């Protein structure tokens, strides 16, 4: 992203491929900024597109107000080539932390598969085909298609100047993404963090693995894009590796070892420290889906993380979420029902386990200077 003084990311959604197609339809999406600021800009993403994408019109509305048009390069429309992202011009509204922002996009032409974030745990409203541009419609009367549960094309929101000194990026899989949390309630565990002086961006992707590509790049490959590429990032919290244990290494599905997972974490930590970003690791929570051998790997990894030397700090998510009577399972009060994903109460317990390690982020280096390396989108993490 382009940068001005103290540009800070205050919301984000990690881009993914294989989003649905649209034609002559308007999308209306709701996001909740984690910090306040002015001179806000949206990031639109066509990273996984194969043809040119036309965004025919855009608008934003602060909660309770009418939509207002947004331009890109002075134009009411945006043209995104394959693999490209663009920033809008400065939004005509002030962004307020904790106050919803509604973003509407009109897609006039057949889009083909869109870049999206599959699991938003928020409702996206959609108009029917051939309904035209409804970006300035004051209500939802024209949005008659069934509600969606993904964000499309929209990938980020940054402000400058900001009410926060920098950004904390939560990096992980479906647990970080918010799986099984209440839709439209913003109860994902990163939503519940209140680190002093830091905005929070959620870079979770459901199904993501630390070491292997699946439907999305492995954590060691997307860390540069989804963490280091965020403007103003100061701290990252890593909760990733359960899917490696569950699914093994792609494409063979061979079981991963504790040392392989730990070396993946070391790669992330080295990349973060090179960018002067503090990295907080999380122990891996229990799940009844792991057999005895793979759960033994999880326990070994957790013991070595607790011993230190990998991350700058460790949040003991395992201890916070496990059943003390059966430490290979989630506590019944925190289990959403599938034995893997925390419910809303579990999300709150997870956030409480992370919070002491991110309150003031001692030891974090200053944010990179204007136009510096934190704002360069990297393709992978070098080991």
């Amino acid at each position: 992203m382009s940068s001005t003084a103290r540009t800070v990311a205050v919301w984000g959604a990690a881009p993914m491929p294989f989003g649905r197609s649209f034609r002559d339809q308007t999308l209306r999406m709701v996001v909740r900024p984690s910090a306040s600021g002015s001179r806000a800009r949206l990031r639109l993403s066509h990273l996984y597109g194969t043809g040119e994408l036309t965004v025919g019109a855009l608008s934003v509305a602060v909660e309770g107000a009418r939509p207002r048009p947004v331009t890109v390069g002075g134009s009411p429309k945006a043209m995104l080539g394959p693999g490209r992202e663009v920033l809008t011009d400065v939004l005509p509204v002030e962004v307020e932390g904790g106050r919803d922002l509604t973003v509407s996009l009109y897609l006039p032409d057949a889009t083909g598969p869109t870049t999206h974030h599959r699991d938003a745990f928020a409702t996206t409203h959609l108009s029917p085909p051939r309904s035209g541009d409804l970006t300035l419609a004051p209500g939802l009367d024209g949005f008659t298609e069934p509600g969606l549960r993904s964000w499309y094309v929209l990938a980020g929101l940054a402000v400058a100047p900001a009410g926060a000194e920098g950004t904390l990026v939560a990096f992980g899989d479906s647990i970080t993404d918010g799986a099984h949390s209440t839709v439209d309630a913003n109860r994902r565990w990163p939503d519940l963090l209140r680190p002093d002086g830091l905005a929070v961006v959620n870079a979770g992707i459901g199904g993501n693995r630390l070491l292997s590509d699946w439907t999305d790049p492995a954590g060691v490959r997307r860390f540069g894009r989804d963490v280091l590429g965020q403007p103003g990032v100061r701290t990252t919290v890593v909760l990733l590796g359960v899917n490696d244990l569950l699914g093994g290494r792609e494409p063979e599905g061979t079981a991963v070892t504790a040392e392989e997972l730990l070396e993946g974490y070391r790669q992330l930590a080295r990349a973060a420290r090179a960018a002067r970003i503090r990295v907080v690791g999380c122990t891996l929570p229990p799940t009844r889906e792991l057999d005895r051998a793979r759960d033994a790997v999880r326990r070994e990894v957790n013991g070595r993380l607790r011993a230190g030397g990998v991350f700058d700090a460790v949040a003991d998510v395992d201890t916070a979420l496990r059943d003390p009577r059966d430490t290979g399972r989630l506590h019944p009060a925190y289990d959403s029902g599938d034995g893997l994903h925390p419910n809303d109460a579990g999300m709150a317990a997870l956030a409480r386990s992370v919070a002491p390690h991110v309150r003031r982020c001692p030891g974090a280096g200053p944010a990179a200077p204007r136009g510096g390396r934190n704002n360069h989108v990297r393709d992978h993490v070098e080991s």
Side-chain angles (χ1 to χ4, degrees):
M1 293 182 72
S2 303
S3 175
T4 55
R6 285 187 60 213
T7 300
V8 170
V10 297
W11 178 86
M16 302 175 66
F18 312 128
R20 65 174 285 173
S21 301
F22 304 96
R23 184 172 187 174
D24 195 11
Q25 291 172 278
T26 303
L27 291 157
R28 180 155 287 177
M29 300 169 280
V30 178
V31 302
R32 179 163 291 182
S34 57
S36 302
S38 58
R39 297 188 61 79
R41 295 184 176 194
L42 298 170
R43 177 162 53 96
L44 308 180
S45 181
H46 195 42
L47 279 179
Y48 294 103
T50 56
E52 190 167 70
L53 175 71
T54 300
V55 179
L58 303 91
S59 73
V60 294
V62 176
E63 186 176 0
R66 293 178 65 93
R68 300 178 64 181
V70 175
T71 58
V72 178
S75 171
K77 68 167 61 175
M79 308 293 291
L80 285 77
R84 301 299 299 274
E85 295 188 323
V86 299
L87 289 175
T88 67
D89 296 331
V90 173
L91 304 185
V93 298
E94 296 285 306
V95 167
E96 184 177 335
R99 189 177 185 189
D100 286 345
L101 188 73
T102 298
V103 180
S104 299
L105 304 177
Y106 171 52
L107 303 173
D109 305 323
T111 63
T114 49
T115 297
H116 77 318
H117 185 82
R118 183 185 59 231
D119 300 320
F121 304 101
T123 301
T124 288
H125 302 280
L126 177 65
S127 70
R130 298 182 296 280
S131 55
D133 177 9
L134 299 181
T135 55
L136 297 181
L140 294 174
D141 289 348
F143 294 84
T144 56
E145 294 290 284
L148 306 176
R149 292 288 187 267
S150 303
W151 289 302
Y152 298 89
V153 183
L154 182 63
L157 172 67
V159 298
E165 299 168 5
T167 300
L168 178 153
V169 180
F171 186 69
D173 52 33
S174 57
I175 294 174
T176 297
D177 209 13
H180 292 256
S181 64
T182 301
V183 172
D184 295 325
N186 295 292
R187 291 179 181 169
R188 315 163 193 87
W189 70 261
D191 297 326
L192 307 178
L193 293 179
R194 299 291 185 271
D196 293 344
L198 295 179
V200 177
V201 165
N202 189 329
I205 290 182
N208 195 225
R209 303 183 193 189
L210 176 67
L211 303 174
S212 299
D213 294 346
W214 196 37
T215 58
D216 39 77
V220 292
R221 292 209 308 118
R222 73 179 184 93
F223 189 74
R225 180 193 74 187
D226 293 339
V227 177
L228 308 184
Q230 295 288 349
V233 60
R234 296 284 191 93
T235 297
T236 184
V237 179
V238 176
L239 174 52
L240 190 59
V242 171
N243 289 316
D244 297 77
L245 294 172
L246 288 168
R249 265 195 182 275
E250 290 293 327
E252 299 86 1
T254 53
V256 299
T257 67
E259 186 54 41
E260 286 174 326
L261 286 173
L262 290 162
E263 179 53 31
Y265 296 143
R266 293 185 193 107
Q267 288 186 46
L268 302 187
R270 287 194 293 267
R273 290 169 184 145
R276 301 170 71 190
I277 295 167
R278 185 169 184 265
V279 56
V280 177
C282 297
T283 56
L284 297 175
T287 171
R288 67 185 184 212
E289 299 300 315
L290 291 176
D291 60 27
R292 182 172 297 181
R294 297 189 187 208
D295 191 55
V297 174
R298 181 187 69 87
R299 292 171 188 264
E300 181 181 350
V301 168
N302 287 348
R304 292 173 68 178
L305 289 180
R306 292 184 186 107
V310 177
F311 297 115
D312 297 320
V314 175
D316 198 348
V317 169
D318 173 36
T319 298
L321 295 183
R322 70 192 183 193
D323 185 345
R325 297 168 297 180
D326 183 351
T327 57
R329 290 175 177 259
L330 287 175
H331 193 292
Y334 298 150
D335 191 344
S336 66
D338 68 358
L340 170 62
H341 297 98
N343 57 18
D344 287 355
M347 290 286 179
L350 201 165
R352 288 194 296 271
S353 73
V354 171
H357 305 285
V358 299
R359 284 198 176 119
R360 283 303 305 174
C361 303
R370 289 197 291 271
R373 57 192 172 202
N374 288 1
N375 295 310
H376 176 64
V377 180
R378 306 173 188 186
D379 293 328
H380 64 280
V381 175
E382 299 290 345
S383 58

